[in-house]
Amino acid sequence: MTLAVWQIIALILVAAGINLDRRGLSLTHARPAIVGLICGLILGDVNSGLYIGGTFTLMSLGVAAIGGSSVPDYGVATIIACAFAQTTGQGPEVGLTIGLPVGMLGVQMDVLFKICNSFIAQKAQRYANEKEFKKMYTIMLLSPVMVAVFMSFPTAVALTAGAPLVQAILDVLPAWVTGGLSVAGKLLPGLGIAMLLHYMPAKKYFNYILIGFVVSAYIKVPVLGVALLGTALAYKFYTDNEARATVGFAGGLEDE
Amino acid sequence: MTLAVWQIIALILVAAGINLDRRGLSLTHARPAIVGLICGLILGDVNSGLYIGGTFTLMSLGVAAIGGSSVPDYGVATIIACAFAQTTGQGPEVGLTIGLPVGMLGVQMDVLFKICNSFIAQKAQRYANEKEFKKMYTIMLLSPVMVAVFMSFPTAVALTAGAPLVQAILDVLPAWVTGGLSVAGKLLPGLGIAMLLHYMPAKKYFNYILIGFVVSAYIKVPVLGVALLGTALAYKFYTDNEARATVGFAGGLEDE
Amino acid sequence: MTLAVWQIIALILVAAGINLDRRGLSLTHARPAIVGLICGLILGDVNSGLYIGGTFTLMSLGVAAIGGSSVPDYGVATIIACAFAQTTGQGPEVGLTIGLPVGMLGVQMDVLFKICNSFIAQKAQRYANEKEFKKMYTIMLLSPVMVAVFMSFPTAVALTAGAPLVQAILDVLPAWVTGGLSVAGKLLPGLGIAMLLHYMPAKKYFNYILIGFVVSAYIKVPVLGVALLGTALAYKFYTDNEARATVGFAGGLEDE
Amino acid sequence: MNREPVLTKKDCVKGACRWSLMAVTTFNYDTQLAPAVVFGIGPLLRKIYPDDDEYVEALNNHFRYFNTHPWVANLVLGATLALEDKEGISAADAVQNIKVSLMGPLAGIGDTLIWTLLPTILGSIAGYMALEGNPVGTILWLLTNVFFIAVRTQLMWVGYREGTKLITKFGGKIAQITDAASVLGLTVVGALAATVVTAKTPLTFQMGEVNMALADLLDKILPSMISVLTVWALYKLIGRKGMKVTTIILLVILFSMVCSAFGILA
Amino acid sequence: MNREPVLTKKDCVKGACRWSLMAVTTFNYDTQLAPAVVFGIGPLLRKIYPDDDEYVEALNNHFRYFNTHPWVANLVLGATLALEDKEGISAADAVQNIKVSLMGPLAGIGDTLIWTLLPTILGSIAGYMALEGNPVGTILWLLTNVFFIAVRTQLMWVGYREGTKLITKFGGKIAQITDAASVLGLTVVGALAATVVTAKTPLTFQMGEVNMALADLLDKILPSMISVLTVWALYKLIGRKGMKVTTIILLVILFSMVCSAFGILA
Amino acid sequence: MNREPVLTKKDCVKGACRWSLMAVTTFNYDTQLAPAVVFGIGPLLRKIYPDDDEYVEALNNHFRYFNTHPWVANLVLGATLALEDKEGISAADAVQNIKVSLMGPLAGIGDTLIWTLLPTILGSIAGYMALEGNPVGTILWLLTNVFFIAVRTQLMWVGYREGTKLITKFGGKIAQITDAASVLGLTVVGALAATVVTAKTPLTFQMGEVNMALADLLDKILPSMISVLTVWALYKLIGRKGMKVTTIILLVILFSMVCSAFGILA
Ligand SMILES: OC[C@H]1O[C@H](O)[C@@H](O)[C@@H](O)[C@@H]1O
Ligand SMILES: OC[C@H]1O[C@H](O)[C@@H](O)[C@@H](O)[C@@H]1O
Ligand SMILES: OC[C@H]1O[C@H](O)[C@@H](O)[C@@H](O)[C@@H]1O
């Protein structure tokens, strides 16, 4: 059984939509259960859609993109799985095994477009400085466009050219490309912190950085605990400054 | 074999006495071995007394009432066990199984009278403020009376009306009463700390509270370690204050 | 097969040499593999030497003398093992079992000569104060002599009088002597720290000692972490002092 | 505010006896061992403060929260008596801070050594012997207790004596010391706020094979959350106008029963 | 520098919507959520700063690194808007510090509750039901999301309101507060430097039966070594004259590919 | 007190060689590596202090406790030589503090990398090959050692050079820096006090099935108790009038033998 053109288009749009949604509005948040339900409606087989969506949902419990990390795209995996369960006619199980590798590709796609986003961000800031505020906003809209294109690309290829081509591409991609991208995705969040340090008084107050580091790296206190400690230190810093000012003023008066 | 009236009275007095003693003098500290020996002497069967006392002693190793928490009353358990070993004529083993649940009731009784103690304490303080110092002392004596009555009550019921009645009462008591009391016994010690905070400079120096909290909650440093750290902080605070005073005085003289 | 006199002498010299080397130059660092190779060359059986050296090397992986602690002398163990493998003619395995206990004796010998070193060090310092600088240097040379003698002594005894004598000595030595020495070797490093405290401003800044202690003893932060924390504290101390001076100078000017 | 000390060794022994007899008997959830403190050292305070108003002030100060290991408490009480005996009612805040700073650590040590170690050793000896019908271990235990009772009668005096020494050394800096003691006290209180409430939640979310304990989750968000939230809520409640401690206690009991009934806390 | 506030509740809702639609979409590795911040609250800033130069300055300030849980971010942004609305561009540094101090802890809480707890509960319900062909759990999940979308539109306004209250309280001490906020911010940044880079080295030395993982070894020398060294190296690189962020990103990618190819990092 | 530096690279290489040959050979329990320091850099100090009295003072300063990883020690000694060469004997306290602050952390790093990691790698290669009769691994190990010997001859000079740079930067603030270095040093010493004594007590109380290790108990009361108590007792002993270090050492040995005989320590 092959898919109608409108179904293919709809599924590609779903792939784009859930990925935009996951990064912003969070109506579906690309949750497999929800995506499965939608695909089921499009493909006219709600039961398979729910079954596949349910399976991927349970598989992805606890997987969350935090701190800017990239995770497999279980939403797209669900779409592919639903489609191929239908076309191959061999049911959900086969769909699941075809869907998963395509979903895994989501990590690399995510790293890629986040890298591209850097250029957009820089361009936007340049426009700001040139007081081209309209352009500043407009260029930023490229990001959602990119998300839509990048993240629906694997789906489009798989649905038009067939899963074997996707697999072939995956096989041809050398490990150092995919692996390298995911390593980059793990190293690059450090760039943000490094930039932060550049426009904070990092040298003057490096002792506080050190304390935060020791407490986190050696003692494994989570960031909320560090922040509570930091609050204590900041308050002491503040009151000491006040006291210094007062004493400087009152001077000898206070002395015994 | 039934107990003589003097034996019943003696055992009830033992129940009262060991509970007073446990909270103050600590001559017997309601230790099962010691209680068993005494009961053995009263009942004329030292061997059973020692056996039951020894068993409950080993069972209760490591159980200690700390930080105002309430623990099972193994002393009373021993009394009941000794008495029923005798009256049922079925020996120590049967006594142990009857004694234990009665002892468990000790947790609830303890919570109850500690709650009542609040009222006595408040009354005593009121007398102090009215300069009725005699009355202040007298009212406090209600506490030991209450301990004696509350903690010997289960023993009295069991020995006069029989263990089945105690069990029946235990069965009838809804779980939310017994459970609720023991939860209250775990929550209420927080009240003391909350009151402490009200008459210490908690807001002015909240940073130190925060530090103590982080070090204890996140890093699990026991209170002695926290106190050592607190000592270091207090000393720094003290010397900084001194230095501030001196500098305020000496002012420009010291400067380069 | 008995050893030639030159072989015995050579082996004793090796025992002295590797122990000097281990404490200074670190060319061989008394590593069993290297010692085994050398012994093999001396005894004309490189294979056995390598086998014994290799075995002891793998056995001693991770064993390191740190913080002034004393460790078994696997170098000497190798020498003895090589020699007796040859003389008994029963091969490496027998050598290993004879070599090990002699090597173990290294702990006690090491503690002993470190104790003697105290006297040399004191003498040297006395010469320094008497401005007898030549003598100061000369007396220190006693230390290497002592190392050579002490650490080659077991080898000398074993090779001349036979391993049984060494074993006999070991058996005769009461446990409290050998045990006592190794306990002393674990307690005495504390002496250095105690002396340090005497000529540092330990009382004036005892709060920092306390912090270091708590962080190390309770929180198990390794010394590098403690030093990072200490750096943060020292910097704060430094800038606070500066600020105090400045404020003392600027005084009322800065105030609101 | 420097006065001639009036307390004698005899007074301190008397204080120790009165205190030791009462101790945990008057334990209540808001001020814990405080009433027993008043009962124990009240007569000594009277001697220090012949003036009724000062006496009342001192009593009120000691009616405040205090909790530590009851045997070791003698030392603390003795030391603060030394302070009051020397500095009079002006030392009230310092007395308070010293009690608060020392109570936590000393409770930790006393509870470990005296409530846990000692009974484990003596109890296992006595227990095993008793099982064999031999009362020797039990009698040994009783005798040990007699010995400790004797020691305890002296401890308040020891505290008084050592306290006097310290005060002489740091004399005249009572204000600064009070402040520094607050710093220490509050650090300890911060730690206590994390540990004093021991109630836990047994709630778990069970979904098919997924099993998530709420307690673990709370711990991940903020460790000791239940304890610190309870203290915080009680702190806020106490601050409310017209809210009596008695009412709060009843509220907590009610709350506990509801939570227990629904399996929210245990 | 005290001005009459101009933002209304309507503005804040608009800001929240713009922000919520963009959020992680513009995520990039150097400034992370910053572009979305500008996109979201840019129009509000324009209202605060009619003057072009000030507007540009404010925009540049918000183009700086910012990352936290996107839902909770509304609160932070609202609070800083309150500050800017009151104090104008002179509050730029304070705005920066507040954002930096709050982002870490709020991310921790949000990621735990909203990205982990919530989907685990709802997901296991929905998942198990879906396996049985029942869409009710899934629809429930959708409805919950709708509910949260509604809540999120209000959060920026909540932040603005509460922020205003705080500012009124601490008014006039902007300089001191900025400094103190730096202390807090840098402490948090020190912790982030230890955790932000999650790459690990899979290298092991295998010699016969001896098997030593390089990762364990690095950890023994300095825990979080890879993370802190990466941050430090990038910090140094950024400092270099003529080194553009773009170049650095490309260098990191190259470096990652090499390390990945040789199995040095994973 | 600013002088013209006199040390050359040749001096430093000579110092490094003398030091490296002696190092742990003169290790004693009270001043540990100090005699070897004097032996190693004594001639260099002579060059800095032509005046006999100053020379004696400098020697006495270096006769004080010092212990770190012997290879890395070169860097520390080089740096302090730079300081003395620039500031003269007035820098004695700073020299002391710098040595104390750096010795702990560098020992930690050196012991991990050089005493543990390196021999584990090289040793397992050499060991396995040797078992098969192949001396290549062993020879490789020897060659590596030769390489490191060469490196070590240069390290004191490196320390001297870098130290000079730092001093120029912070010049003139020697008093403040000494004080701050004390803070760092004492923090490290506090940590060392907890770890330097490694004796443990093997005592256990065994009662029927109850089995309690004294070591666990001590740990519960105060972690690192034996270490810190030992240091504290020795500290008190040293302070005693007429108590010589020699006597203390003998006392410790006696004490150790008694404790060992009765199974109290091991
Ligand atoms: O960790 C904070 C935050 O970081 C990034 O912005 C994304 O990964 C978010 O999903 C996450 O909440
Ligand atoms: O924990 C300190 C102290 O708290 C309460 O007063 C009682 O539980 C005592 O038994 C205990 O020693
Ligand atoms: O721990 C530092 C240092 O201590 C002593 O000097 C010796 O044990 C050395 O081997 C070690 O490197």
Side-chain angles (χ1 to χ4, degrees), chain B residues 65-69, chain D residues 24 27 33 67-70 107 111 115:
Chain B
I66 67 180
S69 62
Chain D
V24 193
F27 188 100
L33 298 181
N67 191 31
T68 190
H69 189 276
D111 289 350
W115 280 173

Side-chain angles (χ1 to χ4, degrees), chain C residues 23-25 27 31 57 66 115 117-119 122 125 129 131 137 179-180 184 188 192 198-199 205 212 227 234 238 242, chain F residues 20 23-27 29-30 42-43 53 55 60 64-65 105 141 145 152 173 179-180 235 246 249 253 256 260:
Chain C
R23 285 163 181 77
L25 193 61
L27 175 61
R31 300 295 180 195
T57 295
I66 66 179
I115 290 169
N117 267 343
S118 273
F119 298 86
Q122 283 164 30
Q125 189 165 7
N129 282 309
K131 299 187 181 158
Y137 287 120
L188 280 170
H198 263 284
Y199 50 79
Y205 299 136
Y238 180 85
E242 298 268 292
Chain F
S20 293
V24 193
T25 309
T26 61
F27 188 100
Y29 288 116
D30 44 309
D53 289 324
Y55 183 40
N60 275 323
R64 289 179 162 176
Y65 182 92
W141 203 349
N145 287 348
R152 282 151 65 201
K173 305 213 166 179
D179 250 28
Y235 176 78
T246 327
I249 293 182
I253 297 172
S256 302
S260 173

Side-chain angles (χ1 to χ4, degrees), chain F residues 167-243:
Chain F
I167 293 155
T168 318
K169 208 166 145 195
F170 287 103
K173 305 213 166 179
I174 194 79
Q176 291 100 306
I177 289 176
T178 306
D179 250 28
S182 296
V183 166
L184 168 50
L186 285 169
T187 311
V188 170
V189 166
L192 291 180
T195 53
V196 76
V197 172
T198 52
K200 300 260 167 292
T201 174
L203 284 183
T204 47
F205 302 107
Q206 176 97 33
M207 299 292 152
E209 278 158 56
V210 181
N211 194 329
M212 195 169 16
L214 181 59
D216 292 350
L217 190 89
L218 294 183
D219 222 57
K220 244 173 120 183
I221 299 174
L222 183 74
S224 304
M225 198 174 191
I226 292 178
S227 187
V228 77
L229 280 190
T230 306
V231 170
W232 180 81
L234 291 171
Y235 176 78
K236 285 287 158 192
L237 272 183
I238 296 169
R240 283 243 179 132
K241 267 237 160 116
M243 186 59 96

Side-chain angles (χ1 to χ4, degrees), chain B residues 9 14 28 30 38 57 90 93 103-104 111 120 136 172 193 199 219 249-250:
Chain B
I9 294 176
V14 170
T28 71
I38 297 170
T57 295
Q90 296 178 305
E93 271 70 25
M104 291 298 149
V111 172
I120 296 177
M136 173 187 84
V172 159
I193 300 296
Y199 49 79
I219 319 184
F249 184 68

Side-chain angles (χ1 to χ4, degrees), chain D residues 17 50 75 132 204 245:
Chain D
C17 290
L75 290 170
E132 292 161 6
T204 47
V245 172

Side-chain angles (χ1 to χ4, degrees), chain C residues 65-69 114, chain F residues 24 27 32-33 67-70 107-108 110-111 115:
Chain C
I66 66 179
S69 62
K114 279 174 178 169
Chain F
V24 193
F27 188 100
Q32 309 214 344
L33 299 180
N67 190 33
T68 191
H69 188 277
D111 289 350
W115 279 175

